[in-house]
Amino acid sequence: MATSAQLFEEPFDADEYIERLAWRTPGGGSKGGAEAFDPKRLLEEFENHIEELKQLDEKIQRRVEKLEHQCHREAKEFAHKVQDLQRSNQVAFQHFQELDEHISYVATKVCHLGDQLEGVNTPRQRAVEAQRLMTYFNEFLDGELRSDVFNNPEKIKEAADIIQKLHLIAQELPFDRFADVKAKIASKYHDLERQLIQEFTAAQRRGEIGRMREVAAVLLHFKGYAHCVDVYIKQCQEGAYLRNDVFEDTAALCQRVNKQVGEVFSSPEAVMAKLIQNIFENKLQAHVKEKLDGTRHSDVEQYLKNLYDLYTRTTALAAKLTEFNLGSDKHTFMSKLIKNIFSCYLESYLDMEKDYLRNRSAMILQRYYDSKNHQKRPIGSGSIQELKERIRQRTNLPLGPSIDTHGETFLSQEVVVNLLQETRHAFERCNRLSDPSDLPKNAFSIFLLLVEHLCVDHIDYALEIGLSAIPSADAKNANLYFLDVVQQANTIFHLFDKQFNDHLMPLISSSPKLTECLHKKKEVIEQMEVKLDTGIDRTLNCMVGQMKHVLATEQKKTDFRPEDENNVMIQYTTACAKVCAYVSRQVDRVRKSMDGKNVDTVLMELGVRFHRLIHEHLQQYGYSSMGGMLAICDVAEYRRCAKDFRVPLVLQLFDTLHALCNLLVVAPDNLKQVCSGEQLTNLDRNLLHAFVQLRVDYRPSRLGRHFS
């Protein structure tokens, strides 16, 4: 097996190497079995291979030493080269420093020489310029302009530069000695200025932007530069306002001119600002004045609409124009322009808004009452009215004569929608036209007008009329329209609350006026709720009174003590049927008139009074055995009617009443057991005794002993 250094490269496995060596040696492996194995031959092969490995090791060692020696020699040579390079770099750096110092020295000399040359050249140029100006000045002094620059129209730019400088010089000369020449220079100055403006105007009409820019640059040093800008602004607007919409025309004009201004003038922001100012102070102000002054006293509604529309469109236009470069404080600039146009109108805005809203609301209400042929009744005020109100709340007595409204509630959703619509427009105008610091206060004053006309003049008046129309509790066949008033008032409250949240709250939410508004709203609603509660309570009394009247007229004593005990064919009495029919109708009316928890509250109160009436009514009669069964049937029908209330308490009361009626028919021997039943065990024994006493067999059967 040939031995080389490649056999020992990683990864190297010594066991595998020996196994491979033994396998290749004849008689050294497992080939041929145990008989073919020759250990001497294998030992000899191992010894020979070990010698080969030793020779290979010596050979590799010599090679390593040779490479190490070569590496040391090359390292020394490289170190010498690095030292030589460092010395060369140091020499080069020294040369660079010397060159840098030399360059600095030369540059200093050149700068000094340049300053000296400038010091000599500047006075020379000034002298040449002064000499040139003196030459031209002499021509004015002699009265004859011979120079070509003053006579050649193509050299108007040079002439303008000269005359501008001569004009400045002439102003420093004494008037008494040079009055004539100063006048000539001034005349030529104004003549050239006029020619330049004419040239600018002509170039603008031809659309020659380059020529306009040149002339504007020359005029920049003349007093007539501002006039040049005015001419440009005036000419820009020629033919720009052909449509009826001045705001759209203005936006289009400024958009078109903005790019041109930047190409022509050296200070485009000032020119653009002057253009916008000119448009606002002339075109827009005249347009606003024409629109508003014609309707200010003749048609206040149209005046307020126009004011809102014009102010909104003007502010929108101003916001669009701030996109242009108008200087550093363009927002203040635009606000000032808007204020100059509308200040005289905004000062009186709120008073006109309130007067219009007050008159408009009063007209809407009066038109409604006129359509109903109703003369509005004065509602009392002061201490006497307050005393009546307190007595009415505590006693439910109808103070004053009851009036017949013929079913009219005197509440109109159309009227309410119109009032809210007018107020919504007022809030929108107030938000747009009020100063931010006055907005909460102004919005609150409009809200007070809404409260006055909607809540007081309309809803509260209808409640007062409704209360007056409620008949007394003992009235017969009374028409109870107050629930219709409750239904419509409830709908109106929702609309009122929605407008409060949607349109008023955003205007006052971050101001102290929020507390005042919430307090006023709460106060108004509480006052109306008191009247609603009073009216509902009196209406319930009327319902109970009507039921009592039906029972009194329809219920006969013989109903529960029939003459023929064996010939009773009815399921329940006529009085019971009529009362249940009446109660069902009233329950439906209550559900239609109210919403939410108010339905359950009112039905529970009606149910409790209904139960009390039936309970007291049943105690007025004596009962035979068959009469008791009929009473149970009546109470079962009342209980079925009570299920329509969907109030657990009411159903429980009638369940108990039904159990009490069982005492009227139970066998005397079972009476004590029934009284101890689940439904009656918690009742007062006196109440149980009172029901048992209604039985016709109370004395004959000596039923009182069960309660002694």
Side-chain angles (χ1 to χ4, degrees):
M1 178 179 177
T3 305
S4 64
Q6 285 76 13
L7 294 173
F8 301 96
E9 291 180 353
E10 295 293 339
F12 175 73
D13 189 345
D15 293 338
E16 182 183 353
Y17 181 78
I18 293 173
E19 286 292 337
R20 192 165 59 248
L21 178 61
W23 182 76
R24 292 184 179 184
T25 302
S30 58
K31 200 184 286 185
E35 296 177 356
F37 179 70
D38 188 353
K40 291 182 179 180
R41 183 77 177 269
L42 183 61
L43 175 61
E44 182 182 350
E45 183 63 29
F46 279 173
E47 289 174 349
N48 292 337
H49 198 74
I50 289 172
E51 287 298 326
E52 289 178 7
L53 291 176
K54 287 181 179 179
Q55 292 173 7
L56 179 61
D57 180 60
E58 291 173 357
K59 181 180 178 181
I60 292 174
Q61 191 63 35
R62 286 193 301 271
R63 187 178 176 186
V64 169
E65 290 175 355
K66 181 180 178 181
L67 290 173
E68 286 180 349
H69 178 70
Q70 183 181 350
C71 184
H72 286 308
R73 186 177 69 252
E74 290 179 356
K76 289 180 181 180
E77 291 175 359
F78 180 73
H80 288 308
K81 287 181 181 180
V82 170
Q83 289 176 356
D84 292 340
L85 288 173
Q86 286 179 340
R87 284 193 294 270
S88 299
N89 183 57
Q90 189 172 6
V91 171
F93 182 71
Q94 291 175 353
H95 290 168
F96 175 76
Q97 284 185 325
E98 292 174 0
L99 181 61
D100 185 55
E101 291 174 359
H102 187 64
I103 291 174
S104 298
Y105 175 74
V106 172
T108 303
K109 288 293 186 180
V110 170
C111 290
H112 180 64
L113 181 60
D115 291 340
Q116 288 181 332
L117 290 174
E118 186 179 0
V120 173
N121 188 54
T122 300
R124 178 180 173 280
Q125 286 182 336
R126 290 177 180 173
V128 171
E129 180 69 17
Q131 184 182 11
R132 189 168 69 93
L133 291 175
M134 289 173 65
T135 301
Y136 295 132
F137 185 80
N138 285 333
E139 293 183 14
F140 280 97
L141 196 60
D142 295 340
E144 184 180 354
L145 300 180
R146 298 179 297 275
S147 299
D148 182 57
V149 71
F150 293 122
N151 299 310
N152 190 349
E154 296 181 358
K155 295 185 177 181
I156 189 172
K157 183 177 179 181
E158 298 176 25
D161 181 60
I162 294 170
I163 201 68
Q164 195 268 338
K165 292 177 181 178
L166 289 176
H167 187 261
L168 292 176
I169 294 172
Q171 290 179 349
E172 302 296 329
L173 298 176
F175 182 78
D176 52 351
R177 292 178 56 190
F178 298 96
D180 186 50
V181 70
K182 290 177 70 172
K184 292 178 181 178
I185 292 174
S187 176
K188 188 65 176 177
Y189 178 89
H190 293 303
D191 184 51
L192 278 174
E193 188 178 64
R194 180 178 52 79
Q195 292 181 37
L196 288 169
I197 292 175
Q198 290 176 350
E199 176 64 22
F200 181 88
T201 304
Q204 183 179 0
R205 286 176 178 163
R206 295 191 300 269
E208 298 177 358
I209 302 299
R211 184 57 180 163
M212 292 170 63
R213 181 169 56 249
E214 292 177 7
V215 176
V218 175
L219 278 170
L220 182 62
H221 304 290
F222 280 77
K223 293 180 180 178
Y225 178 73
H227 183 58
C228 171
V229 174
D230 292 338
V231 170
Y232 174 78
I233 290 174
K234 181 180 179 181
Q235 199 157 310
C236 281
Q237 299 180 56
E238 291 180 359
Y241 292 92
L242 299 178
R243 295 178 291 181
N244 293 328
D245 195 334
V246 66
F247 298 97
E248 291 294 332
D249 289 338
T250 298
L253 170 64
C254 293
Q255 186 70 41
R256 174 172 55 83
V257 171
N258 182 56
K259 181 179 179 181
Q260 191 180 82
V261 166
E263 296 174 349
V264 173
F265 296 98
S266 58
S267 54
E269 67 278 358
V271 178
M272 199 67 194
K274 194 168 185 179
L275 168 65
I276 292 174
Q277 182 177 358
N278 181 273
I279 293 173
F280 269 68
E281 292 178 350
N282 293 285
K283 289 287 184 184
L284 287 183
Q285 189 155 13
H287 178 70
V288 170
K289 185 176 178 63
E290 177 187 358
K291 286 283 188 180
L292 295 182
D293 288 359
T295 57
R296 189 166 190 173
H297 301 291
S298 59
D299 189 348
V300 179
E301 179 182 8
Q302 191 60 44
Y303 167 79
L304 290 173
K305 290 180 179 179
N306 290 344
L307 177 60
Y308 174 78
D309 180 64
L310 290 170
Y311 189 84
T312 300
R313 300 195 67 187
T314 304
T315 52
L317 175 63
K320 189 181 295 184
L321 296 181
T322 52
E323 297 174 2
F324 305 130
N325 183 11
L326 305 177
S328 58
D329 201 5
K330 54 187 176 182
H331 294 286
T332 303
F333 171 70
M334 296 305 302
S335 298
K336 186 176 180 181
L337 292 179
I338 295 173
K339 184 177 180 181
N340 289 340
I341 294 176
F342 290 97
S343 58
C344 61
Y345 303 106
L346 297 181
E347 288 174 356
S348 59
Y349 154 70
L350 185 63
D351 292 335
M352 296 190 71
E353 182 73 81
K354 290 166 64 177
D355 288 342
Y356 166 73
L357 188 60
R358 188 180 293 109
N359 295 333
R360 178 69 176 171
S361 300
M363 185 194 74
I364 291 172
L365 290 173
Q366 189 59 47
R367 189 167 57 192
Y368 168 71
Y369 293 125
D370 290 344
S371 70
K372 299 295 181 181
N373 294 321
H374 175 73
Q375 181 66 37
K376 197 171 182 182
R377 301 173 59 201
I379 301 299
S381 60
S383 58
I384 296 178
Q385 178 66 19
E386 292 176 1
L387 178 61
K388 286 184 176 181
E389 187 64 30
R390 289 182 182 178
I391 295 174
R392 183 167 62 188
Q393 291 176 17
R394 292 177 180 272
T395 63
N396 281 314
L397 294 176
L399 301 179
S402 174
I403 64 173
D404 187 4
T405 61
H406 303 287
E408 181 59 56
T409 63
F410 292 104
L411 286 174
S412 167
Q413 286 195 29
E414 181 182 355
V415 169
V416 173
V417 168
N418 289 336
L419 291 175
L420 293 176
Q421 184 82 347
E422 293 293 342
T423 310
R424 181 174 67 82
H425 292 323
F427 281 136
E428 290 174 352
R429 290 192 289 264
C430 177
N431 185 29
R432 177 66 66 181
L433 301 175
S434 295
D435 186 89
S437 60
D438 296 331
L439 177 58
K441 178 183 66 176
N442 295 348
F444 181 64
S445 63
I446 292 174
F447 172 68
L448 292 180
L449 288 175
L450 175 64
V451 170
E452 176 185 349
H453 291 97
L454 175 62
C455 299
V456 177
D457 291 348
H458 190 54
I459 305 177
D460 190 68
Y461 177 75
L463 293 179
E464 287 289 343
I465 295 296
L467 286 172
S468 302
I470 298 176
S472 61
D474 55 355
K476 300 177 182 179
N477 300 320
N479 292 320
L480 304 177
Y481 295 111
F482 193 79
L483 289 179
D484 297 331
V485 177
V486 173
Q487 179 184 6
Q488 294 189 32
N490 188 42
T491 302
I492 294 171
F493 281 153
H494 287 307
L495 295 174
F496 173 74
D497 192 57
K498 179 174 173 55
Q499 179 161 99
F500 183 90
N501 294 325
D502 292 349
H503 296 96
L504 178 61
M505 284 294 289
L507 308 183
I508 61 170
S509 58
S510 57
S511 74
K513 285 293 180 182
L514 174 61
T515 305
E516 290 187 53
C517 285
L518 292 174
H519 177 72
K520 184 64 177 178
K521 176 188 172 187
K522 181 181 178 182
E523 178 185 348
V524 169
I525 290 179
E526 286 180 349
Q527 290 175 355
M528 293 187 182
E529 285 180 344
V530 168
K531 293 183 179 180
L532 287 171
D533 291 343
T534 302
I536 292 171
D537 187 63
R538 291 174 56 192
T539 300
L540 295 182
N541 284 343
C542 287
M543 291 180 183
V544 173
Q546 190 70 18
M547 288 184 264
K548 186 182 294 185
H549 173 70
V550 171
L551 291 173
T553 55
E554 298 293 334
Q555 195 85 69
K556 300 179 175 59
K557 291 185 178 181
T558 56
D559 287 344
F560 303 115
R561 297 179 70 175
E563 296 178 358
D564 186 358
E565 292 278 334
N566 298 319
N567 193 24
V568 178
M569 306 297 294
I570 59 175
Q571 295 181 344
Y572 42 81
T573 64
T574 303
C576 172
K578 290 186 176 182
V579 168
C580 287
Y582 178 80
V583 170
S584 296
R585 292 196 301 271
Q586 303 313 313
V587 169
D588 290 339
R589 290 190 65 184
V590 170
R591 291 195 184 281
K592 292 177 181 178
S593 303
M594 300 175 196
D595 58 3
K597 296 181 179 179
N598 293 331
V599 175
D600 294 337
T601 302
V602 174
L603 287 181
M604 182 172 70
E605 181 63 27
L606 176 60
V608 170
R609 297 187 187 189
F610 175 37
H611 167 266
R612 185 185 305 123
L613 172 66
I614 300 302
H615 185 277
E616 293 174 353
H617 173 72
L618 291 176
Q619 290 183 311
Q620 298 175 7
Y621 300 93
Y623 298 89
S624 65
S625 177
M626 184 55 66
M629 291 298 296
L630 193 57
I632 292 175
C633 292
D634 277 4
V635 173
E637 185 64 15
Y638 292 136
R639 184 173 62 175
R640 186 194 60 77
C641 181
K643 290 181 180 180
D644 295 338
F645 286 70
R646 301 173 198 168
V647 179
L649 175 62
V650 176
L651 190 58
Q652 181 183 351
L653 290 174
F654 277 94
D655 285 342
T656 303
L657 182 60
H658 188 271
L660 282 171
C661 288
N662 286 331
L663 298 177
L664 301 176
V665 297
V666 68
D669 295 338
N670 298 331
L671 187 61
K672 189 172 184 180
Q673 180 183 354
V674 172
C675 290
S676 303
E678 181 180 354
Q679 289 184 312
L680 301 179
T681 185
N682 295 323
L683 295 181
D684 186 3
R685 289 186 63 81
N686 292 329
L687 177 61
L688 303 179
H689 191 192
F691 255 82
V692 173
Q693 286 178 326
L694 302 175
R695 294 172 57 143
V696 294
D697 62 345
Y698 174 76
R699 292 185 183 280
S701 300
R702 299 174 60 196
L703 299 181
R705 56 191 170 82
H706 295 289
F707 298 94
S708 58

